Amino acid sequence: MIILEGIAMCFWLLIWCTVGISNGAVGLVSLFEKDVQERVVELGLITEEKMKKNALIYSLALFIPVLAGVPLTVYLINGADSFMSGFLQMTAVFLIGNLFDRLFIDWYWVGHTKAWIIEGTENLQPYIPVKASVKKWIGTIIVFPMYAALIAWVVELIR
């Protein structure tokens, strides 16, 4: 069941990205580095206000389902009944989704296809530089398991 939930998380992320860039990668430019964001604004492709609005909308559309949906499935569907059970299951689901994000979305889709290229910013590639990639991997390996531990701890307090 955990693998299916992880795949569902991957699918949600894929849909989220696809919708976000459906009218061009400018729609999710808030995910890019600051220099790319500034260039896109300079080119008149988006305003600061629109970029901030998009960032808020897309963040809510991604993180509410992920940070609420995963615990709900782990506790209500899978029947996690302890801190360790909830923590391990959520960590596994988050890991599956984040590995998909790091390997398919970041490395392949953004890094090796033209789908995420924003005209006029080609000289600012790679869009995910090494420093940003390292931060994302730290989030995958450390931060998301910490979220899982925090959520599992809160659930145990409530019980």
Side-chain angles (χ1 to χ4, degrees):
M1 196 62 173
I2 293 168
I3 293 172
L4 289 176
E5 291 159 359
I7 291 170
M9 188 172 158
C10 298
F11 187 65
W12 180 249
L13 180 60
L14 183 63
I15 290 170
W16 181 86
C17 287
T18 303
V19 169
I21 68 166
S22 62
N23 293 318
V26 173
L28 288 179
V29 73
S30 60
L31 300 177
F32 289 64
E33 296 297 301
K34 202 69 169 161
D35 58 344
V36 177
Q37 294 175 13
E38 290 169 356
R39 173 77 57 82
V40 169
V41 170
E42 285 172 19
L43 292 170
L45 300 174
I46 196 168
T47 63
E48 288 274 345
E49 296 76 29
K50 179 69 174 168
M51 187 170 38
K52 288 178 184 176
K53 182 181 175 187
N54 285 355
L56 177 63
I57 291 168
Y58 284 111
S59 293
L60 292 173
L62 177 65
F63 290 111
I64 288 174
V66 168
L67 294 178
V70 172
L72 287 173
T73 59
V74 163
Y75 285 97
L76 298 178
I77 296 173
N78 299 359
D81 58 359
S82 67
F83 168 84
M84 191 56 73
S85 175
F87 166 72
L88 291 174
Q89 289 183 50
M90 283 186 286
T91 298
V93 174
F94 287 146
L95 185 59
I96 292 167
N98 278 293
L99 286 174
F100 176 78
D101 192 9
R102 299 293 74 77
L103 299 174
F104 178 76
I105 304 288
D106 290 351
W107 179 79
Y108 176 71
W109 199 12
V110 175
H112 291 87
T113 72
K114 294 179 181 182
W116 290 80
I117 293 176
I118 301 171
E119 193 172 324
T121 65
E122 295 88 351
N123 66 317
L124 299 174
Q125 290 179 322
Y127 290 133
I128 305 173
V130 173
K131 185 177 179 181
S133 185
V134 167
K135 286 180 183 179
K136 288 179 170 216
W137 278 102
I138 288 170
T140 296
I141 297 167
I142 297 171
V143 175
F144 271 89
M146 289 172 55
Y147 286 150
L150 178 63
I151 294 166
W153 178 70
V154 168
V155 169
E156 286 304 305
L157 287 177
I158 293 170
R159 286 181 178 205

